[in-house]
Amino acid sequence: AKSAPSMVSSASSGSIASPAPSQPIKEIAEPPKKVEVQIQLEYPPYTEDPTAPEWERLQRRIYTRWINQKLAKRGIIIRDVVRDLSDGVVLINLMEILSETTYSGKYEKRPKMRPQMMVNANSALEFA
C-alpha cells in the first residue's frame, strides 16, 4: 500500500516540506486600480449673492468650472473661485498644473490663520 507524502520533514532541519503540486501555480496579475482622490473643502456650499451684478455671478461660475477642469488631474474640487483660492493652497496646485512644474518652496498645507493664507497666496503669485 502506498502512503501519503509526509508534510513535515525531520525535526532536525526545522523546515516544512510540501508535496509537489500536480500543476504549476499561476500568478494572477491584477491590473492596477485607478484611485480617485477628491479634496472637498470644509465649509457649506457657495450661495450666489443675489445683489451682485449678473456678469459677476456669471464670471465666478465660469472661472470655477474652468479651474475644476484643470484641478481634476489631482482630484481637487472647488465650489467658489474667490473663496477657495483665498488660502493659496489650491492656487499653488493650479499654478503647478498650468506650468507643468513642481513648486519647490514651502507652504502651509492647511493654513488656519489669515497670515498663513496670505503667505501661501503670495508664494503662489511669486511662483507664477
Side-chain angles (χ1 to χ4, degrees):
K2 292 183 179 180
S3 63
S6 173
M7 294 300 289
V8 178
S9 65
S10 65
S12 62
S13 68
S15 63
I16 298 176
S18 63
S22 59
Q23 296 178 358
I25 298 173
K26 295 180 183 176
E27 289 190 30
I28 300 173
E30 294 182 22
K33 295 179 181 177
K34 187 175 181 180
V35 178
E36 288 191 30
V37 177
Q38 290 190 352
I39 298 174
Q40 293 196 353
L41 304 172
E42 304 167 352
Y43 50 78
Y46 170 71
T47 54
E48 289 186 348
D49 179 12
T51 61
E54 178 61 29
W55 65 267
E56 185 179 319
R57 289 182 286 161
L58 180 65
Q59 280 190 346
R60 282 179 102 147
R61 285 192 306 264
I62 290 171
Y63 282 114
T64 300
R65 198 173 308 134
W66 179 78
I67 290 170
N68 277 330
Q69 287 176 345
K70 299 298 177 186
L71 294 174
K73 295 177 184 177
R74 298 198 178 174
I76 301 173
I77 299 171
I78 66 168
R79 295 183 182 139
D80 176 41
V81 66
V82 175
R83 188 168 40 180
D84 294 342
L85 270 61
S86 65
D87 68 358
V89 176
V90 175
L91 189 56
I92 288 173
N93 278 285
L94 179 63
M95 299 310 252
E96 285 181 334
I97 291 169
L98 294 176
S99 68
E100 297 179 351
T101 59
T102 303
Y103 178 68
S104 60
K106 293 182 181 181
Y107 66 96
E108 186 68 37
K109 305 261 193 272
R110 292 185 174 264
K112 301 287 184 210
M113 297 180 288
R114 188 169 172 87
Q116 293 172 326
M117 295 177 187
M118 291 174 66
V119 168
N120 280 355
N122 248 357
S123 298
L125 295 174
E126 288 174 3
F127 177 57

